Amino acid sequence: MTVRLVTDHGKNRKGFRASYVAEDKVYSNCGVGQYRCANGVTCIDAWKRCDGNNDCRDNSDEDESHCACQDIPPSLGSMCSRGISYQKMTLPNPFNPFGDTSVEAVESSEDFIDLSAIAELDCHPRIRDLVCATILPRCESSPNLRQQLPCRSWCEEVQFACELEAIDVWSAFPSCEMFPHTNCNNINGSMEDGEKCFDGNGANYRGDEATGAATGVKCERWDSDETLVASYPWANLVDNKCRNPGDYERPWCLTPSGFEYCDIIPCNVVGCEDPGKPRFGKRSPIMQFYYPGERVTYTCDVGFKFRPYAPPNNVVCVYNEETGEAEWSSPKPNCVVDHKYKLQKDLLSPGIYRRSVSPTTRLEIKAYVVNVVNLDEKAEKIVTSFKAEFSWKDDRLEWQPKQYGDLEKIFVFDEEVWLPTLTLQRNADVGYIGGFPKTEVKMENTGDVTWPVELLTTTTCTLDPFLFPQDNMTCAVCWRAGEEYIIGRSNATSRRDLNFLNYFNSETDIVTGEWSGKTTLSASLNEACLTITLKRDPTYHYSTTISPCLILIILMVITFIMPIDKGDRIGFGVTLLLAMVVSLVVVTGFLPVSSTLPFIALVIIVCMALMALFMLTTLCIIIIHDKKGPVPKWARAVFLKHMARALMMGDLTKKLKKEEDKDYNMSSNVNGVEVHANQPYKMDDIVGGDNPPSTVDTEVGATLIGLKGSVDELKVSVRQLSGSIDAVANIAAGEDDEEVGEYALLAGVLDRLSLVIYVIAIVVTIPCSLLFGRRLV
């Protein structure tokens, strides 16, 4: 045992004591990718052998005899001759951890047979080179670095391409973690012309600076993020080069705009080359290589445009299955001079044209109402969508068509030319701030300018509600220019839109809901108007609003027809009066609140007043009907005789006379009985004549005469009592009927008179309200 003490500094002290125990030596079983030192105990990574550093305690990993370079034997070179780029190798390789340096041992190992099968795979163009560089490690003559195993990034790239395609065969290859990432053997792809490219997913790419494929911006430095660099130490994330440390499709980088794939040409991949820019134009994106399916968009430079019927400005890289090549879907288009752009630049340049200077004071207009969006007669507002065209002449905008590709007219944004300042009159929109939506102005080579305007406006209306529901309304959309301008109706027509109103056709019909009428275009001085004159269709309101009112007025007649002593006439009339109030509220709810009162509202108010008046009259009639006693003579003559005749009820006084005659006859009969009783009876009347028989005895005759007189006296007394009872009954009942009957007849006449007067008043109300109501307005 040898003990070696190594210290950083020294001090003079007594010696030290060491205790040890002797044990039998146990050899280590090193795995694939490891090297066992000569002591047989220590295992180190295979790539640390012959790297100039003593990693074994016995320095066996740097032994000259073991690190010496030797020629590649022909037997092994036949398998690796197609891709290997060096002539010297060193053994053992990572598959022989026991340090066997003989070529025979390599060829006879089981790993060699499995790796030979992996070398025949075509999942990656550099897989054979990787297998050969692992079996036959590259040897250099440098004293510090003699053995070079493949770089881990190379292994990672091949593994990404092959482990899914041939997983059963690839499983025999060792893990990529056993390979180094510095001082290693690496092969970068390159094109035939020497330009670098990447194989597989580009995990082993080691190119120079690169840019993002989408934006063309240079990639940022990978080492600006230490965390990312520490996570993938084997990926060589330095500078601003493109790398693929993960499982992405191809190398990528971070640009200021975010993640982007790098613009790098892949090796052995079919795609399209840069088509180049068109004449007087450019293409985007600009890349060195385009995969099938990727697009390129061509654009022309300022002042140029694509030629008519040129190929499309958007092309696709398409794979041709017949040829096995990729090509663009169409050729490059060519750009020619844009005469419109040149014309606008020549006429409307700020140094030539000033849009603040008015070119004329004469404006012409043609317009029409596209649609009535909303009509609110109660608020007296209308929302209309209208379309108009203002035209004028600007001598500064004339040009010769031959100088500009025979252009006779162009369209430019309205903000580039002079526009008249117009103010909306009778505006009802509190949120309206003026102005018009942006549009294009048509310019003709003669200097004529046409400005189309399409806008939604809210303006006030004038409603005449007097003849509701046959009322009318006038709405106008007016625009006023400055005082120095004159607006006239245009005499031009439009083939695309035949609805325009102009000088020759200034009026058209319009219908919106229950309203219909005319739209008229007018212009006077510096103001132009689209005037809408509307009249309401009364069918709906006649059916739902006016008819109920008329029915209630007619139902009031029932109050006078109903018997006075039967039913509640007052309650029925009050109910009708309240219903009329509701009808009045409904009618006025359709109309604005103003000093103008509709004719129908006047009629309803007058009818309500008449109904209230006759309700008071009915109350008085009911009181008269229940009154007792005889009526005055003048009332009997005026109402019961003359008025009753006028009302076709007949002379009611005759009825009263018949009743009086009946009572007089009853009294005469009673008096006749009295008179007959007081008269002396003659015996001749009783016994049968003036000459009684001579055979009757004188006494018997006298007795019979006396008995006859007693019976007559009793009969008279009974008749007197009966007459007295009838007289009392007549006094108790007959005379009261006479009094009640007269006032009842008077009440009936007055009730009939009230009915006639009510009907006449209702009939007279309509023309009077129509006449005087219009005057009040």
Side-chain angles (χ1 to χ4, degrees):
M1 180 181 67
T2 301
V3 178
R4 183 173 62 183
L5 176 65
V6 179
T7 62
D8 295 334
H9 58 278
K11 285 188 178 182
N12 296 324
R13 294 287 179 94
K14 292 182 179 181
F16 58 90
R17 180 180 297 175
S19 298
Y20 65 92
V21 177
E23 296 180 354
D24 293 337
K25 184 175 182 179
V26 179
Y27 288 92
S28 300
N29 292 323
C30 299
V32 177
Q34 291 184 326
Y35 172 76
R36 189 171 67 182
C37 298
N39 58 20
V41 177
T42 306
C43 295
I44 65 173
D45 293 331
W47 60 270
K48 292 182 179 180
R49 191 180 72 85
C50 302
D51 63 349
N53 297 321
N54 293 319
D55 297 293
C56 292
R57 293 180 181 179
D58 55 5
N59 298 331
S60 60
D61 61 318
E62 301 295 331
D63 188 2
E64 291 291 339
S65 61
H66 293 165
C67 295
C69 296
Q70 53 182 309
D71 295 332
I72 299 176
S75 59
L76 296 178
S78 60
M79 182 184 71
C80 302
S81 61
R82 285 178 290 177
I84 198 167
S85 60
Y86 52 89
Q87 303 297 326
K88 298 291 184 179
M89 70 173 184
T90 179
L91 294 176
N93 57 40
F95 297 97
N96 188 358
F98 303 107
D100 196 343
T101 59
S102 65
V103 176
E104 293 77 7
V106 174
E107 292 178 340
S108 62
S109 66
E110 296 180 359
D111 295 331
F112 181 78
I113 298 175
D114 294 336
L115 294 175
S116 299
I118 294 176
E120 298 299 328
L121 298 176
D122 58 355
C123 54
H124 190 278
R126 299 291 181 181
I127 187 173
R128 178 181 296 273
D129 297 340
L130 175 64
V131 173
C132 292
T134 305
I135 298 175
L136 307 176
R138 183 175 184 173
C139 186
E140 298 290 341
S141 59
S142 172
N144 295 330
L145 181 61
R146 285 161 287 183
Q147 177 181 264
Q148 294 181 354
L149 293 178
C151 293
R152 178 179 173 178
S153 58
W154 186 5
C155 178
E156 294 282 352
E157 180 182 288
V158 175
Q159 178 178 336
F160 178 82
C162 296
E163 65 177 353
L164 296 179
E165 190 171 322
I167 186 171
D168 295 335
V169 180
W170 179 260
S171 61
F173 197 84
S175 173
C176 294
E177 295 180 357
M178 75 175 189
F179 296 108
H181 60 274
T182 58
N183 299 328
C184 53
N185 180 20
N186 195 18
I187 298 178
N188 289 322
S190 60
M191 307 292 289
E192 295 180 357
D193 57 358
E195 187 176 0
K196 289 184 177 182
C197 60
F198 70 90
D199 291 310
N201 66 341
N204 191 41
Y205 178 74
R206 292 291 186 275
D208 296 330
E209 294 184 358
T211 58
T215 60
V217 180
K218 287 188 176 182
C219 298
E220 295 182 349
R221 296 177 60 90
W222 283 95
D223 54 6
S224 60
D225 188 349
E226 296 295 337
T227 304
L228 189 62
V229 175
S231 300
Y232 303 97
W234 55 267
N236 192 23
L237 302 180
V238 294
D239 301 331
N240 60 343
K241 301 174 183 179
C242 282
R243 299 290 183 264
N244 188 10
D247 295 333
Y248 292 94
E249 296 180 358
R250 57 182 188 265
W252 59 276
C253 67
L254 295 175
T255 64
S257 59
F259 169 92
E260 285 191 38
Y261 285 115
C262 297
D263 182 20
I264 304 174
I265 301 176
C267 303
N268 304 317
V269 175
V270 177
C272 298
E273 297 181 354
D274 182 11
K277 69 174 184 176
R279 185 182 180 185
F280 306 117
K282 50 184 174 292
R283 79 283 191 201
S284 176
I286 303 175
M287 296 190 296
Q288 304 179 66
F289 181 86
Y290 298 87
Y291 288 88
E294 292 185 333
R295 294 177 176 272
V296 170
T297 302
Y298 298 104
T299 56
C300 293
D301 296 334
V302 178
F304 295 87
K305 66 177 182 180
F306 292 113
R307 188 187 302 275
Y309 306 106
N313 65 334
N314 191 293
V315 295
V316 184
C317 180
V318 181
Y319 176 75
N320 191 332
E321 296 182 356
E322 296 180 357
T323 61
E325 300 292 335
E327 56 188 13
W328 294 108
S329 58
S330 61
K332 290 184 298 184
N334 292 325
C335 299
V336 296
V337 177
D338 187 355
H339 293 286
K340 178 181 177 180
Y341 175 83
K342 186 176 184 298
L343 176 60
Q344 289 183 235
K345 187 177 181 181
D346 293 343
L347 296 180
L348 302 177
S349 298
I352 300 175
Y353 184 85
R354 291 185 178 274
R355 62 188 305 267
S356 59
V357 179
S358 173
T360 183
T361 59
R362 174 72 181 181
L363 303 175
E364 292 184 350
I365 182 177
K366 56 182 178 180
Y368 69 95
V369 175
V370 178
N371 185 27
V372 176
V373 179
N374 186 28
L375 179 61
D376 188 351
E377 62 265 32
K378 185 173 180 61
E380 293 186 288
K381 292 193 303 183
I382 187 172
V383 181
T384 56
S385 172
F386 80 96
K387 188 174 182 181
E389 286 189 0
F390 292 90
S391 57
W392 61 90
K393 187 175 181 59
D394 192 340
D395 296 335
R396 299 172 296 177
L397 301 179
E398 295 181 359
W399 72 86
Q400 295 296 329
K402 294 182 179 180
Q403 298 179 0
Y404 298 96
D406 294 329
L407 279 178
E408 296 182 352
K409 62 181 179 181
I410 61 173
F411 292 88
V412 299
F413 289 116
D414 56 2
E415 58 187 14
E416 297 184 19
V417 299
W418 174 87
L419 298 177
T421 301
L422 301 175
T423 304
L424 176 63
Q425 306 295 306
R426 305 179 67 175
N427 177 44
D429 185 4
V430 294
Y432 178 70
I433 58 176
F436 298 90
K438 290 186 177 181
T439 183
E440 290 187 342
V441 174
K442 182 176 73 173
M443 297 168 41
E444 300 182 27
N445 65 308
T446 57
D448 293 328
V449 181
T450 303
W451 176 34
V453 174
E454 192 166 357
L455 188 65
L456 197 68
T457 60
T458 303
T459 54
T460 59
C461 300
T462 302
L463 177 65
D464 183 8
F466 183 73
L467 294 179
F468 175 84
Q470 289 186 317
D471 48 350
N472 56 72
M473 182 164 50
T474 302
C475 305
V477 180
C478 298
W479 296 98
R480 182 185 295 274
E483 295 184 359
E484 61 177 332
Y485 298 98
I486 297 177
I487 302 179
R489 289 177 297 177
S490 175
N491 55 7
T493 58
S494 177
R495 295 182 179 179
R496 294 186 177 181
D497 195 342
L498 302 178
N499 296 320
F500 275 111
L501 302 178
N502 51 25
Y503 181 81
F504 302 102
N505 180 25
S506 61
E507 187 177 86
T508 185
D509 297 330
I510 186 171
V511 177
T512 171
E514 62 179 343
W515 297 87
S516 61
K518 299 287 186 179
T519 300
T520 305
L521 174 65
S522 61
S524 176
L525 298 178
N526 62 336
E527 184 175 286
C529 295
L530 274 172
T531 305
I532 306 173
T533 304
L534 300 172
K535 187 175 181 180
R536 192 197 303 265
D537 183 1
T539 305
Y540 173 79
H541 290 286
Y542 275 144
S543 302
T544 61
T545 306
I546 308 303
S547 297
C549 297
L550 298 177
I551 293 173
L552 292 175
I553 294 173
I554 295 173
L555 287 177
M556 187 64 186
V557 177
I558 299 177
T559 306
F560 306 104
I561 300 175
M562 186 183 298
I564 299 176
D565 55 348
K566 294 181 180 180
D568 190 359
R569 304 181 74 179
I570 301 298
F572 181 75
V574 171
T575 302
L576 294 178
L577 187 60
L578 293 177
M580 289 294 290
V581 174
V582 174
S583 299
L584 179 62
V585 173
V586 172
V587 170
T588 55
F590 291 103
L591 304 173
V593 178
S594 63
S595 58
T596 303
L597 196 61
F599 160 71
I600 186 63
L602 286 174
V603 172
I604 293 175
I605 293 173
V606 174
C607 290
M608 289 171 56
L610 292 175
M611 293 170 70
L613 176 62
F614 284 101
M615 288 303 300
L616 295 176
T617 304
T618 301
L619 180 60
C620 296
I621 292 172
I622 293 174
I623 295 174
I624 292 173
H625 179 272
D626 295 334
K627 191 175 181 181
K628 299 177 181 179
V631 298
K633 292 182 178 181
W634 64 270
R636 182 181 300 172
V638 173
F639 291 100
L640 299 183
K641 183 176 182 180
H642 302 291
M643 187 61 68
R645 290 179 177 176
L647 296 176
M648 301 176 69
M649 297 176 66
D651 187 358
L652 299 182
T653 57
K654 292 182 178 180
K655 186 176 181 181
L656 293 178
K657 288 181 179 181
K658 290 181 180 180
E659 291 179 354
E660 291 174 357
D661 293 340
K662 182 179 180 181
D663 294 341
Y664 177 76
N665 292 333
M666 290 177 61
S667 299
S668 299
N669 292 334
V670 176
N671 294 332
V673 173
E674 293 176 354
V675 171
H676 179 73
N678 293 329
Q679 291 179 358
Y681 289 95
K682 296 181 179 180
M683 291 301 296
D684 295 339
D685 296 331
I686 298 175
V687 298
D690 294 336
N691 298 316
S694 58
T695 62
V696 179
D697 190 78
T698 305
E699 294 180 3
V700 176
T703 301
L704 291 175
I705 293 172
L707 181 58
K708 175 65 173 173
S710 299
V711 173
D712 291 336
E713 290 178 0
L714 179 59
K715 186 176 180 180
V716 170
S717 299
V718 172
R719 289 181 178 178
Q720 289 178 348
L721 179 59
S722 177
S724 300
I725 293 173
D726 292 338
V728 173
N730 290 333
I731 294 173
E735 293 179 357
D736 291 342
D737 291 340
E738 181 184 354
E739 295 175 359
V740 175
E742 291 185 11
Y743 277 99
L745 293 176
L746 177 60
V749 174
L750 294 177
D751 200 22
R752 180 69 63 85
L753 179 62
S754 298
L755 173 60
V756 175
I757 295 176
Y758 174 76
V759 173
I760 295 174
I762 293 298
V763 174
V764 174
T765 295
I766 296 176
C768 290
S769 299
L770 187 62
L771 177 61
F772 296 105
R774 176 63 75 178
R775 291 183 178 180
L776 293 175
V777 175

